[in-house]
Amino acid sequence: MSKIKEIREAIDTKLDRWEASATAFETQLQQTEEQALAKLEVRKKKLNEALDKFKSAVAKAKGIAEDKKKEIEAQFDDLQVQLALGKAEAREAFEARRKKIEHSIATLEATLDRHLDAAGKALDDSLHKAVDKYIAAEIEYEAVAEALEARLFMKKVEAKAQFENKKKDLLAQISKFKTQLQGKRSMAKDKAAAFEKELSAGISQIKQAFKKLAE
């Protein structure tokens, strides 16, 4: 596949995202809020490291005009600034910062794909490897961030008590989903893709069940 968008739409990438999301919600049920915040900082650091390598690969890539590289580099810098900001533990502040990071990610990827299209080229091997590592790190970061944001929605003591009482059932639901996911991962890509709607619905159910704990 030649572009970031195409890599993201591949069934293997989707399977990785669903698994990361299920694992992140599973981990939220087993960690304290403080531990969850620390885990997010680790994921942000790993994403930042992947971005450094990605940025270096873009700088060395042939076929992209220098002025376009500078535009892309500026977007790398913007995303890394967002990731470098300190912890935001309040729900509203966390949500706002996460949206800014998501916007920076989307802008960076769209710009790079647009310039690759304009240059009439695909990702070369070194750039492709950097993109794969970046996407893997971004998937892990986003999964943890989404699960933590749902956790921070718990505003009442009653909600936290319910969280403790019902998490066993949700852990069982997540375990069942991950087993199902692994079964589909072992299939050929075309067969696994046939279950995309089912798997997408499964992770959506887990997310909704998690959020209901906070009501």
Side-chain angles (χ1 to χ4, degrees):
M1 294 201 171
S2 59
K3 305 292 188 299
I4 299 175
K5 182 179 179 180
E6 292 173 330
I7 294 171
R8 283 202 176 278
E9 291 175 351
I11 186 61
D12 283 348
T13 305
K14 291 179 179 180
L15 289 167
D16 289 344
R17 185 173 291 280
W18 291 325
E19 184 171 6
S21 185
T23 299
F25 279 97
E26 183 179 47
T27 302
Q28 283 294 327
L29 293 164
Q30 299 168 325
Q31 288 184 329
T32 65
E33 190 172 295
E34 185 175 295
Q35 288 173 325
L37 284 163
K39 181 67 173 289
L40 180 65
E41 293 306 306
V42 170
R43 290 303 177 193
K44 285 167 65 177
K45 182 179 179 182
K46 289 184 179 299
L47 177 54
N48 197 39
E49 290 170 353
L51 281 166
D52 274 333
K53 293 178 181 178
F54 188 10
K55 182 164 62 173
S56 177
V58 170
K60 297 174 184 176
K62 297 178 180 179
I64 303 176
E66 289 303 313
D67 60 326
K68 304 303 182 186
K69 286 184 179 180
K70 288 181 180 179
E71 180 185 353
I72 296 168
E73 183 179 355
Q75 291 175 1
F76 272 115
D77 292 342
D78 176 69
L79 176 52
Q80 290 185 297
V81 166
Q82 296 294 334
L83 289 169
L85 294 175
K87 296 179 183 179
E89 299 183 19
R91 169 190 147 188
E92 291 79 7
F94 184 91
E95 186 177 18
R97 186 168 298 173
R98 181 175 166 230
K99 285 182 178 178
K100 286 182 179 179
I101 291 173
E102 286 179 347
H103 177 74
S104 292
I105 287 171
T107 301
L108 170 63
E109 293 182 11
T111 300
L112 183 54
D113 273 356
R114 187 174 69 253
H115 290 330
L116 287 171
D117 279 334
K121 71 189 298 286
L123 299 171
D124 59 33
D125 287 344
S126 60
L127 192 51
H128 205 305
K129 289 178 182 177
V131 169
D132 284 344
K133 290 180 180 179
Y134 150 73
I135 289 178
E138 190 279 327
I139 284 173
E140 294 291 344
Y141 157 76
E142 177 57 25
V144 172
E146 182 182 28
L148 179 55
E149 184 176 309
R151 175 76 170 269
L152 294 175
F153 267 61
M154 296 179 197
K155 297 185 292 184
K156 299 179 180 179
V157 174
E158 293 85 352
K160 293 185 178 182
Q162 181 169 271
F163 178 83
E164 292 300 321
N165 291 333
K166 294 188 176 182
K167 69 181 183 181
K168 183 178 179 180
D169 291 340
L170 185 49
L171 280 168
Q173 182 180 346
I174 293 172
S175 178
K176 182 179 179 180
F177 173 80
K178 290 177 74 175
T179 299
Q180 178 188 28
L181 188 67
Q182 288 303 319
K184 302 300 184 288
R185 190 184 284 277
S186 65
M187 294 179 173
K189 290 183 181 181
D190 57 338
K191 291 184 178 180
F195 291 91
E196 180 176 341
K197 186 176 180 179
E198 177 185 343
L199 292 169
S200 182
I203 194 64
S204 294
Q205 288 170 6
I206 289 170
K207 292 176 182 180
Q208 288 303 314
F210 190 99
K211 290 174 182 177
K212 283 182 179 179
L213 295 182
E215 293 178 352

